Every structure is written in C-alpha cells, then in structure tokens.
Amino acid sequence: MPKIFFYPHKILLPIGITVISVPGKSILDIALENKINIEHACEKSCACCTCHCIIRKGFNSLSICQEKEEDLLDKAWGLEKYSRLACQAKIGISDISVEIPLYTLNQES
C-alpha cells in the first residue's frame, strides 16, 4: 500500500506526517481521515480550487488530471507544474509527497 507524506504546514500540520492508504482514494479523503483539515469549500465537487496541493514526489502515479480540474487549477494561488486538486487526485500504487500551500484563493492561512 502506498505511503503519503504530508509536509509540515504552519497551521494545519506543524509536524509532517506519513500515512498509508489504499490506491484509488483521493488525497483530500486521505488527509481528512488523518485529521489534516485541508480547506475544501466546494465539498469535493471540483467546483473551486481551495484544496490545491503540490505533489513533490510521485506525481505520475496519480490519476489523470481532467480538463475541469485543469481549468480550476489555473485560478489556484501559487500554481506549480505539479499542482493538483486534492479532491480529484487519486493515488496509485507508488508513494507520494504532498505539500499543502500556506494560502488559498479564499483565505490566507
């Protein structure tokens, strides 16, 4: 089963954490199951970009980014080449590392 490392985040996760999950779950569901309260204003419906995250390792093992997600990511604060929406990115069989940006479109953390 893949390991998911969440980098430290000043507000949400002062100390990084590694969790294990089954393939096919979204990064957001995994985070929430582990009490990492990533903002998700649209309740996982792919209608905002508040759950924007950056994949620092294992990007290619995630599910394919669909056009709707790509359009929303264009609005994300701090967009990078390996950005994804945590509600849409489903993990594969490889380990990944996830950075939760300090800021979102809705608020400053």
Side-chain angles (χ1 to χ4, degrees), residues 1-9 13-21 26-28 30-31 34 36 38 53-59 61-62 86 91 94-101:
M1 290 199 290
K3 294 178 188 172
I4 300 89
F5 174 69
F6 290 92
Y7 285 92
H9 182 281
L13 189 64
I15 299 173
I17 186 174
T18 299
V19 298
I20 296 174
S21 186
S26 73
I27 293 171
L28 180 58
I30 295 165
N34 289 280
I36 305 168
I38 296 175
C53 63
I54 303 162
I55 310 305
R56 297 293 182 201
K57 175 187 169 194
F59 183 84
S61 70
L62 297 173
I91 61 166
S94 299
D95 297 347
I96 65 169
S97 295
V98 179
E99 179 182 341
I100 304 163

Side-chain angles (χ1 to χ4, degrees), residues 28 40-48 68 72 85 87-88:
L28 180 58
H40 53 289
C42 72
E43 295 299 321
K44 308 177 195 177
S45 66
C46 195
C48 72
K68 185 175 181 181
L72 287 169
L85 296 181
C87 70
Q88 298 300 302

